[in-house]
Amino acid sequence: MILLGILSLALFLTGCSNSTSIKETTITVAAAASLKNCLDEKLIPVFQQRYPNIKIQTTYDGSGKLQTQIQQGAPIDIFISAAMTQMIGLEGQGLILEDSVVQLLENKIVLIVPENSTKGISTFGDIIKAEKIAIGD
């Protein structure tokens, strides 16, 4: 739903009111690499079902690298950053439409321990007590 909202805003800004009046076009989305699976597997297919005349071209990388590409003139229509820092920086430089920045997501590291664990792990400093550590993406 987030991408639908973002892309619908893009359509509004181009003057399109519904999917039948939209000529075939391509929108370039630059997004944090951590969002690749979510966008490619879920959100973009839903959007493209609703708007079959709009093709989504994606590029994924670290938010800082994408910010630099935009600053250097990369033709990006929508930027979805993992942090507000890059969005605020680009908005301050006039490279993002004023008042279009919305905090949708954030990346956070979390510590998950089995409920029945007897290891006494309750903080990141305690992970040295663990026999195994798994890292998820």
Side-chain angles (χ1 to χ4, degrees):
M1 293 306 286
I2 293 168
L3 183 63
L4 286 175
I6 293 169
L7 295 177
S8 294
L9 174 62
L11 294 176
F12 172 76
L13 293 173
T14 59
C16 300
S17 61
N18 62 49
S19 61
T20 59
S21 67
I22 299 171
K23 66 179 181 173
E24 188 152 322
T25 190
T26 299
I27 295 174
T28 303
V29 176
S34 60
L35 300 173
K36 182 177 182 6
N37 292 342
C38 172
L39 289 171
D40 286 351
E41 296 172 15
K42 302 289 182 184
L43 298 176
I44 291 173
V46 168
F47 178 84
Q48 289 190 312
Q49 280 181 337
R50 185 168 179 185
Y51 300 100
N53 292 340
I54 299 176
K55 305 302 177 214
I56 305 296
Q57 178 178 321
T58 56
T59 183
Y60 299 101
D61 210 329
S63 296
K65 287 183 181 179
L66 294 171
Q67 176 186 9
T68 300
Q69 290 174 12
I70 292 168
Q71 289 168 326
Q72 293 176 351
I76 304 300
D77 298 305
I78 298 171
F79 177 40
I80 307 173
S81 176
M84 288 298 292
T85 304
Q86 289 78 26
M87 303 299 287
I88 292 167
L90 291 170
E91 185 179 40
Q93 295 173 350
L95 297 173
I96 293 182
L97 292 175
E98 187 176 336
D99 297 325
S100 70
V101 175
V102 176
Q103 184 169 358
L104 301 171
L105 317 159
E106 64 182 3
N107 285 334
K108 283 190 175 183
I109 188 167
V110 296
L111 176 65
I112 301 172
V113 180
E115 189 173 40
N116 60 354
S117 174
T118 59
K119 300 282 184 197
I121 300 171
S122 60
T123 69
F124 284 102
D126 295 334
I127 63 173
I128 59 172
K129 300 176 187 176
E131 292 175 24
K132 293 181 184 178
I133 298 173
I135 299 175
D137 181 14

